[in-house]
Amino acid sequence: MTVKKLLGAALGAVLLIGSMAGCGEQSSTVGVEKKFINVSYDPTRELFAAYNDAFKDVWKELSKEDVTFEHLHGGSGKQARLVIEGQEADVVTLALAADVDEISDAGLIKSGWINRFPSNSAPYTSTVVFLVRAGNPKDIRDWDDLIRDDVSIVTPNPKTSGGARWNYLAAWEYARQKYDGDETQIRAFIKKMFENVVALDTGARGSTNSFVLGKKGDVLIAWENEALLGLKEAPNEYELVTPSISILAEPSVAVVDAVVDRKGTRRLAEEYIRYLYSPAGQELVAANFYRPRNSSVLAKYSKIFKPLTLVTIDDAFGGWRKAQAEHFADGAIFYQLYHP
């Protein structure tokens, strides 16, 4: 079987596993006493499949209880709305703080959630990179190349995907520095970039599948972990391109207070998140291509995670609440510029 077919089969299996999880498929745990739900975003399927398997033994030792874990995946913004609309979740592990803020504003998560766990309640980070075809036939090197007439792009939809919002803001910051803050030129840059998009999926994993399995586009604007997964599965089929400017993506984790207090799972939920910060949890994070917060673990994976020039959401955009209101709320800048 060719490498290309192997990659297709591998990612197809991943998609199937994720779909089973999203439909309520439960892990096989003997003596189940509790059911625990983590509502997460698209590219964390492999991470939490491995993490849940490890943590159930940790919890068994702590509490003598067995737990059935369920992890549901989709575009981060879509997942937040599902929780607000009634999808039960003990914890959420979403792509950005703005999505957790929406759940908090709905009264399900207590205010101040971002300070409840270390590092802004973000136990791992990522960033935005480009994945291109082997040999980089379109010679794509930086954000400038994405507005060329001969380049077609795959990226998720900022309306439903947290990763897509990180992509958009990284491009915006590049244009802001390029054009010395001239908003007319920045808007024209972003508008042209989205005119080149040939697949706008609801989530990051859907975009990866469009690029890898559907063979759409010349470049995938991707989470670093998604790009590294593609390279791992088919190193001869793709290349990773690091743009000159990218953004520090901090996926957020939070306990859904209204749910855990009703179910009596607060201690379980808090230990579940704390274990993500442990050395063992950080090893699982790194093995699934997220950048660990633990400096010692990060140093072990220095050949994978190269140093990058990164801007932060706080410094460049005044934080997620401000960025969300200005760029992604109904009628905000993204909707003014993008007309499918």
Side-chain angles (χ1 to χ4, degrees):
M1 184 180 288
T2 65
V3 172
K4 188 179 297 184
K5 289 181 179 177
L6 282 171
L7 177 61
L11 287 185
V14 165
L15 184 60
L16 176 60
I17 291 168
S19 298
M20 290 168 63
C23 293
E25 182 82 359
Q26 298 178 357
S27 58
S28 56
T29 306
V30 177
V32 171
E33 294 183 12
K34 291 181 183 290
K35 178 181 176 181
F36 186 86
I37 301 175
N38 172 10
V39 172
S40 194
Y41 67 108
D42 247 353
T44 59
R45 300 170 191 270
E46 296 79 18
L47 168 60
F48 283 111
Y51 183 78
N52 291 347
D53 200 41
F55 182 75
K56 69 181 179 183
D57 295 331
V58 173
W59 181 248
K60 178 75 170 180
E61 186 173 340
L62 282 173
S63 68
K64 312 306 179 188
E65 293 177 342
D66 293 309
V67 182
T68 292
F69 288 102
E70 186 175 345
H71 47 111
L72 283 68
H73 300 273
S76 186
K78 181 180 178 182
Q79 296 297 85
R81 285 190 288 276
L82 286 175
V83 173
I84 293 168
E85 292 167 3
Q87 170 61 63
E88 192 171 73
D90 296 88
V91 299
V92 290
T93 55
L94 298 177
L96 45 88
D99 291 330
V100 183
D101 282 337
E102 286 193 17
I103 302 171
S104 179
D105 292 345
L108 299 174
I109 295 175
K110 294 177 182 177
S111 62
W113 66 268
I114 201 166
N115 299 315
R116 223 182 282 182
F117 297 98
S119 303
N120 295 324
S121 289
Y124 42 82
T125 69
S126 192
T127 189
V128 175
V129 297
F130 305 153
L131 193 66
V132 299
R133 310 288 175 190
N136 196 0
K138 293 294 182 72
D139 194 30
I140 295 166
R141 303 295 175 186
D142 211 340
W143 294 101
D144 266 343
D145 295 309
L146 304 193
I147 64 170
R148 287 171 17 207
D149 290 336
D150 66 326
V151 170
S152 59
I153 300 168
V154 176
T155 183
N157 189 340
K159 184 175 182 179
T160 53
S161 167
R165 280 172 267 174
W166 288 114
N167 294 353
Y168 168 102
L169 292 177
W172 183 280
E173 180 59 21
Y174 174 85
R176 176 159 53 195
Q177 294 189 26
K178 175 181 175 66
Y179 298 117
D180 295 323
D182 184 324
E183 187 155 327
T184 299
Q185 293 188 80
I186 299 169
R187 284 174 175 250
F189 183 97
I190 298 297
K191 186 174 187 295
K192 174 57 178 171
M193 188 179 84
F194 275 91
E195 286 173 354
N196 286 350
V197 171
V198 294
L200 198 72
D201 295 277
T202 58
R205 180 54 56 83
S207 288
T208 301
N209 286 336
S210 290
F211 184 75
V212 172
L213 303 179
K215 307 303 178 188
K216 296 179 180 178
D218 302 306
V219 56
L220 171 68
I221 309 177
W223 287 95
E224 181 183 47
N225 58 288
E226 285 287 277
L228 289 170
L229 177 63
L231 288 176
K232 176 186 176 183
E233 298 294 347
N236 298 320
E237 296 290 320
Y238 306 98
E239 293 181 15
L240 189 151
V241 174
T242 301
S244 62
I245 293 173
S246 196
I247 196 163
L248 177 66
E250 296 182 296
S252 299
V253 299
V255 173
V256 184
D257 298 293
V259 173
V260 299
D261 287 342
R262 175 173 52 79
K263 289 176 58 180
T265 55
R266 175 171 291 280
R267 182 184 173 218
L268 170 57
E270 291 177 348
E271 291 295 338
Y272 183 88
I273 289 179
R274 287 193 191 102
Y275 190 66
L276 280 167
Y277 291 89
S278 72
Q282 292 283 283
E283 284 282 350
L284 287 170
V285 162
N288 285 277
F289 302 119
Y290 285 93
R291 293 183 176 229
R293 291 289 197 179
N294 183 300
S295 57
S296 297
V297 177
L298 180 62
K300 288 175 60 176
Y301 291 85
S302 60
K303 290 184 179 179
I304 297 174
F305 302 116
K306 306 298 184 184
L308 297 171
T309 301
L310 301 175
V311 299
T312 69
I313 189 72
D314 290 337
D315 290 343
F317 297 95
W320 262 114
R321 283 193 180 273
K322 186 170 185 288
Q324 179 71 22
E326 290 183 356
H327 292 271
F328 308 114
D330 288 343
I333 295 173
F334 171 71
Y335 297 96
Q336 296 168 24
L337 299 179
Y338 179 67
H339 302 287

